[in-house]
Amino acid sequence: LILVELDEKPRILSLIDKRTQVDYAYSQPLGLFDLITEDNPKGMTAWIVGNTSNIAHLNDGCVKINKVSNSSLLNNFISYSFSFGNGSSMELKISLEKEKSFISYDIDCMWQEIGNETSGVPQLRFNVPVGYKIRNFVYGAPLGLINRPALTHDVPSLDLAIAKNENGKSLA
């Protein structure tokens, strides 16, 4: 149902709906991990996101590809890992199951980053830029989901974020 092309980082270069031939990656890669340091003018909190003072693109660092499987008729995947920051590390698996219209990310992160009032607040961001007009966003929140309008600042989510497309299929 979808065709996914990854580069060696691995970033999603192309995410094509086979029925409509629409490429949801448009002209920029998807699936980017960033280590962000944010200012903390309102105090240390996970629910108020401050201005970004530094962004490290983790996909551009030393990524170790652990395993690639594209021979299975039921499930194709790539697993990889990388280290970053102050001893933090991630192990990831991107998979595409047969007859599914989505890819899955299984992520195991050992988070060792510590913030303080001087150095700022470290934050891990999964970046999926979209190239369509967004009606609103749906975020995972404690005890359910919350709808929010498009905002000029980043907001946290527990487990998912859906950028609702005004004209059709959406990326989540």
Side-chain angles (χ1 to χ4, degrees):
L1 300 178
I2 62 173
L3 176 66
V4 180
E5 178 187 358
L6 302 169
D7 68 6
E8 72 283 350
K9 301 262 182 209
R11 303 172 302 180
I12 300 172
L13 299 180
S14 180
L15 178 63
I16 298 174
D17 182 328
K18 290 182 181 180
R19 292 181 207 145
T20 64
Q21 295 304 306
V22 171
D23 187 350
Y24 287 95
Y26 301 95
S27 61
Q28 52 188 334
L30 306 175
L32 310 171
F33 288 92
D34 297 325
L35 176 60
I36 298 172
T37 304
E38 61 185 54
D39 295 330
N40 56 344
K42 297 180 182 176
M44 304 283 285
T45 174
W47 291 103
I48 298 174
V49 179
N51 295 326
T52 300
S53 61
N54 186 44
I55 299 175
H57 302 292
L58 301 180
N59 294 73
D60 292 339
C62 184
V63 175
K64 177 185 173 196
I65 304 294
N66 298 327
K67 186 172 183 181
V68 177
S69 169
N70 60 3
S71 61
S72 170
L73 297 176
L74 298 177
N75 188 359
N76 295 314
F77 68 88
I78 181 170
S79 64
Y80 64 101
S81 58
F82 54 84
S83 299
F84 60 93
N86 296 313
S88 295
S89 62
M90 288 182 73
E91 292 185 14
L92 300 97
K93 179 180 177 182
I94 305 172
S95 58
L96 172 61
E97 295 181 29
K98 184 177 180 173
E99 301 301 321
K100 299 287 184 184
S101 59
F102 59 87
I103 57 174
S104 297
Y105 278 77
D106 294 318
I107 302 168
D108 186 12
C109 181
M110 178 60 73
W111 185 256
Q112 301 294 322
E113 308 307 302
I114 299 173
N116 61 48
E117 292 180 9
T118 350
S119 65
V121 181
Q123 181 185 62
L124 182 63
R125 176 175 67 184
F126 182 62
N127 194 359
V128 183
V130 297
Y132 54 78
K133 188 165 182 177
I134 297 170
R135 181 177 66 227
N136 67 305
F137 289 88
V138 179
Y139 292 97
L143 304 176
L145 301 174
I146 185 169
N147 287 297
R148 291 188 176 127
L151 302 170
T152 58
H153 59 278
D154 199 6
V155 292
S157 178
L158 287 180
D159 53 5
L160 69 96
I162 302 171
K164 298 294 278 186
N165 187 348
E166 282 190 348
N167 301 311
K169 291 186 178 180
S170 303
L171 291 177

